[in-house]
Amino acid sequence: MKLILLKDTDGKKEEAVFQEKILAEMKKENVQGKWQVVRVADMGIYNKGVAVKILPEGFTYTGLSLDDIPALVRTSIKEGRELGEKSYGLKDKQVKIVLRNCGRIDPENIESYLESGGYQGLKKVLLELKPEQAIEELKESGLRGRGGGGFPVWMKWQFARKPESAEKFIICNGDEGDPGAYMDRSVLEGDPHSVLEGMLTAGYLVGANKGYFYIRAEYPLAITRVQNAVEQARAYGLLGENILGSGFSFEVDIRLGAGAFVCGEETALIASVEGKRGYPSPRPPYPSVKGLWGKPTVINNVETLANIPVVFSRGGKWFSSIGSPTAKGTKVFALTGKIKNSGLVEVPMGITLREIIYDIGGGMLNSYDIKAVQTGGPSGGVISREYLDTPVDYENLQKLGSIMGSGGMIVIDESDCMVDLAKFYMNFCVDESCGKCAPCRIGTTQMLEYLDSVSKGKAREDDLPRLKKVAMAVKKASLCGLGQTSPNPVLSTLRYFEEEYLEHIREGKCRAGKCKDLLQYSILQDQCRKCGLCYRNCPVNAITGNNKQGYIIEREKCIKCGNCFDVCKFEAISRG
Amino acid sequence: MAKLTRSKLEEYGKKAPAKAGRALVRVGMSTCGIAAGAEEVYEALKGAVAQRNLDVDVRKCGCNGKCYAEPLVEVVSGGLPAVLYGKVDKRLALDIIDKHVINGELLNDHIYGIDEGKGE
Ligand SMILES: Cc1cc2nc3c(=O)[nH]c(=O)nc-3n(C[C@H](O)[C@H](O)[C@H](O)COP(=O)(O)O)c2cc1C
Ligand code: SF4
Ligand code: SF4
Ligand code: FES
């Protein structure tokens, strides 16, 4: 069966015309055999005109006009040869390692995981490699932690492996507190066994017999599926005593997090598992030396652990062939914001932001231009659009004032206000600061006050250096990563968009129309056509008048929702 | 359930992935899929398969990543590549069974991805 797929990637809905033309040409050429011509909704190609893909050959053409069709039908469909000039060379840029099974296997059935190569990596580590060889393999893979810090996994495991201790522990960090991120939830829900296999592998190599899944309680489906996976693994003898006859024994438990951001930080998380209040403590000592109940503990992120089975089943060398010089393998991002295809993407390290946004994400959602990309959530920062061609890896993002983080990626356009964005994250940090150390507890509140006064047009220009000073102090003096990274959204927006801050301060203007206190809605009488649309759409009846005399907005009643601004077809509403 | 042994695990590793014959219909049922209505779609597919007395494996799966197009249903049948349908509702679910699964006929305007490699 030949499939001829068709899509107008500019969204002008030209498919039907082309479909007819192709069918007519095929008839004319008397094309034999079985085939279907199908209009698809998404071909993974964007803004490249009308595109056609022919399967099984895989010929792909873009920018087609109706005049191209006869030659295309004759050459590619009838004779099965590629047609040179309109050929589209790009391939799918996603590489699925972590998400290899997500959406494919039944996460509630261990058989489904086993049938797609599950537990083969563990088998190799338990029965075929010496532990030193396995650590070497891990080192060769170049795998680094995906929870934010990017610490080399082999090193962390080696640290925990060294000390003699009757008890050691493995913890899977599934707290995922970054607002807007849901990679780890999806992996736990879609492929729980891969994470469990990663934990078992870690357990064997560091000499731990007990593991904990730490999952936030807001993820009930993830918890159920992990629970189910644990029970099935136990029934299959993959948990318990003498696993696969190797002499290695391992058990796991699940601990629920109550949803505090700070509990994703490793020392606070450990306190929480111990049943204490989720307060961080100073490092060193690092958990790999002195962790849960004072014992050597490896704590790794969900995504990190889901990579482990592949490192061993396909080999460290293969793994390290993907990625950039300093970062190997892939990263999963939760791509959201003003982007057409919001969702999870898994890309090789070293891909550019531009490729993620335009070739995978399908480009901008609305007609506004892109302004920046936010990565790393409240601990990260914004990267302005001039840097879209930067290859994504830990070091590059850090140089630009952001971080790789756990994988939140929010696309920001011209309708977003950078002061408002910084304020959003600072509000989050003020709420989530655990209060143990003063720099974070007091500093985040102070930064929020400055941001708030900027957004209300009440700040002075010399407040900005003060804001920066507080930010630097919080960065340096805070006890844990939450405080240390909380100034990033402020500092990075100041770095790239200081003029927006100054506009708020000097002109009392928010160009994106987000800072409500600076907005003043009024009707431009000479533009107004007296259609009454705004009058009918105001939720609080702040607009009075009629279609003879025209309309006015009563300032005292206006709640600045912006409805009138959005509905007016004649640009007769000003919000300046 | 008997415990897994080394040799049994090795067998899984060697098993050829291609399972000819039985059609497979995957429904993305992670949190966001369920929120978008995947449960209803799953029930509709199950119901249609039972009613028509078909031998089809309707399988609950996790997140495929294309969250913008949920609910997602992927069909692997009749030697065709895996076809991913998006924004599926109950009616489309029935069409998927009647046209695609039974007749091998792909549906216009609802396909969000075709994967030649992942037929399983
Ligand atoms: C405030 C804060 C929140 C964190 N939240 C998470 C989280 O939700 N998930 C996670 O894996 N790591 C989180 N981390 C990082 C962990 O402390 C730790 O570095 C990580 O789990 C180590 O795993 P990895 O080496 O596999 O990345 C957080 C760190 C800080 C400072
Ligand atoms: S919607 Fe615009 S044109 Fe119509 S009455 Fe209001 S301001 Fe005038
Ligand atoms: S901003 Fe909202 S409340 Fe104010 S006049 Fe317009 S519609 Fe009414
Ligand atoms: S969770 Fe469903 S596709 Fe993302």
Side-chain angles (χ1 to χ4, degrees), chain B residues 36-80:
Chain B
E39 222 138 44
E40 205 177 84
V41 169
Y42 177 79
E43 293 306 329
L45 289 164
K46 274 281 205 201
V49 165
Q51 205 185 27
R52 291 161 183 68
N53 228 338
L54 304 170
D55 181 30
V56 176
D57 177 4
V58 182
R59 184 188 290 183
K60 291 187 187 182
C61 291
C63 163
N64 140 305
K66 296 197 185 233
C67 307
Y68 61 97
E70 255 166 343
L72 295 162
V73 171
E74 190 173 47
V75 182
V76 189
S77 84
L80 288 166

Side-chain angles (χ1 to χ4, degrees), chain A residues 460-506:
Chain A
R460 301 183 352 195
E461 246 175 274
D462 56 2
D463 283 340
L464 291 187
R466 281 193 212 112
L467 171 59
K468 275 187 215 166
K469 213 165 153 186
V470 176
M472 291 318 290
V474 174
K475 205 179 170 97
K476 277 212 186 99
S478 291
L479 170 64
C480 89
L482 194 158
Q484 286 156 11
T485 58
S486 66
N488 284 346
V490 178
L491 291 172
S492 64
T493 47
L494 272 171
R495 169 168 170 185
Y496 298 113
F497 301 98
E498 188 166 13
E499 84 280 359
E500 268 189 50
Y501 280 79
L502 290 172
E503 230 167 58
H504 283 72
I505 295 171
R506 289 182 188 152

Side-chain angles (χ1 to χ4, degrees), chain A residues 144-151 178 181 183 303 324 326-334 347-351 353 356 373-381 383 391-410 485 488:
Chain A
R144 295 168 64 179
R146 303 290 194 245
F151 196 78
D178 167 0
M183 308 74 51
E303 189 181 331
S324 82
T326 57
K328 301 302 179 188
T330 60
K331 180 76 195 87
V332 182
F333 288 103
V347 290
M349 296 277 191
I351 194 173
L353 291 167
I356 298 179
V373 179
Q374 208 283 342
T375 64
S379 312
I383 296 166
V392 173
D393 66 22
Y394 301 94
E395 283 72 21
N396 280 337
L397 294 191
Q398 204 156 13
K399 263 185 249 155
L400 292 174
S402 187
I403 59 166
M404 174 90 89
S406 56
M409 184 177 281
I410 303 171
T485 58
N488 284 346

